[in-house]
Amino acid sequence: MNNSVRSAARLSWAALRMLLVLTVVTGILYPLAVTGIGQLAFHDKANGSMVKADGKEVGSKLIGQSWNIKGSDKPDPKWFQGRPSNSGYDPLSTGSSQLGASNPTLVKNVKAAKKQVAEFNDVPQSAVPKDAVTGSASAIDPGISPAYAEIQVKRVAKANRVSFEQVKKLVDDHTDGRTAGFLGEPQVNVLEVNLALKDLAAKR
């Protein structure tokens, strides 16, 4: 009986030591090492890829945001607009509407959005691309297709009193190609192009 108790005690003590060692290694040392490497090698990305303007953080180039008229739910004609967001661009509440492609509500909403985008940018509805009227799976996509940026150039140039060619060049300069040359689709980061637009408008 005493031998059994001693054996059980030894096994329990060995298991406890193993638990303590693994807790320290996986719960403390490993996270610290990964965090340290991230801060040293990928400082910008590890801290949310924040973007600054005039010395202040104005957003993250990884998260979309609203470009509405201040204090309103109406889009501001001065800025390039991003994809629709089912969550109001809230990074703590991501996700799509969960409506299927043939859902009557989604079809109705897309048709209404297409008409609105066409009128807002003074283009025919046939020129409105899909990402202008449908949200991404995350609802916080920071980029838009070059096609969506293209139909906004005329409106943005007029609202900021700069030339069409200047705004078109901004779009071209801020269009990122496919990752590794073949993954994904070309994108225009809305925050970055709008900040460049702000600088351009300030020089007029």
Side-chain angles (χ1 to χ4, degrees):
M1 180 67 176
N2 289 336
N3 287 336
S4 297
V5 171
R6 281 195 291 271
S7 295
R10 282 197 298 271
L11 289 173
S12 297
W13 174 235
L16 180 60
R17 283 183 296 175
M18 181 61 71
L19 175 62
L20 291 173
V21 169
L22 290 175
T23 298
V24 171
V25 171
T26 62
I28 299 176
L29 298 181
Y30 178 73
L32 286 175
V34 171
T35 300
I37 292 172
Q39 289 295 328
L40 290 173
F42 311 100
H43 181 75
D44 181 54
K45 292 182 179 179
N47 288 286
S49 297
M50 301 304 293
V51 177
K52 289 186 177 182
D54 301 324
K56 298 180 180 179
E57 290 184 347
V58 293
S60 168
K61 60 184 178 182
L62 302 178
I63 300 175
Q65 59 181 279
S66 170
W67 295 93
N68 290 340
I69 297 172
K70 191 173 182 179
S72 166
D73 60 354
K74 296 181 179 180
D76 193 328
K78 293 192 303 182
W79 305 115
F80 283 95
Q81 299 295 317
R83 296 187 69 170
S85 172
N86 186 59
S87 67
Y89 303 101
D90 182 357
L92 300 179
S93 179
T94 60
S96 67
S97 66
Q98 303 299 315
L99 298 177
S102 61
N103 185 285
T105 299
L106 179 63
V107 172
K108 179 181 177 181
N109 291 343
V110 167
K111 285 183 177 179
K114 194 170 187 178
K115 183 175 183 292
Q116 182 181 26
V117 170
E119 291 177 350
F120 185 59
N121 293 286
D122 192 24
V123 296
Q125 291 191 32
S126 59
V128 177
K130 291 186 295 183
D131 63 314
V133 294
T134 57
S136 64
S138 68
I140 55 172
D141 197 325
I144 56 176
S145 67
Y148 187 20
E150 286 279 348
I151 69 168
Q152 300 187 64
V153 171
K154 180 181 176 181
R155 183 252 304 160
V156 167
K158 181 179 179 181
N160 286 280
R161 298 178 184 175
V162 294
S163 72
F164 177 93
E165 291 73 18
Q166 287 176 305
V167 178
K168 177 67 168 61
K169 187 175 185 304
L170 286 185
V171 171
D172 293 340
D173 291 345
H174 290 83
T175 298
D176 298 321
R178 293 179 171 87
T179 304
F182 64 94
L183 295 174
E185 295 294 333
Q187 292 278 301
V188 178
N189 188 284
V190 178
L191 174 59
E192 292 181 335
V193 76
N194 276 339
L195 289 179
L197 175 64
K198 180 182 177 183
D199 291 340
L200 175 64
K203 295 175 184 177
R204 72 176 188 272

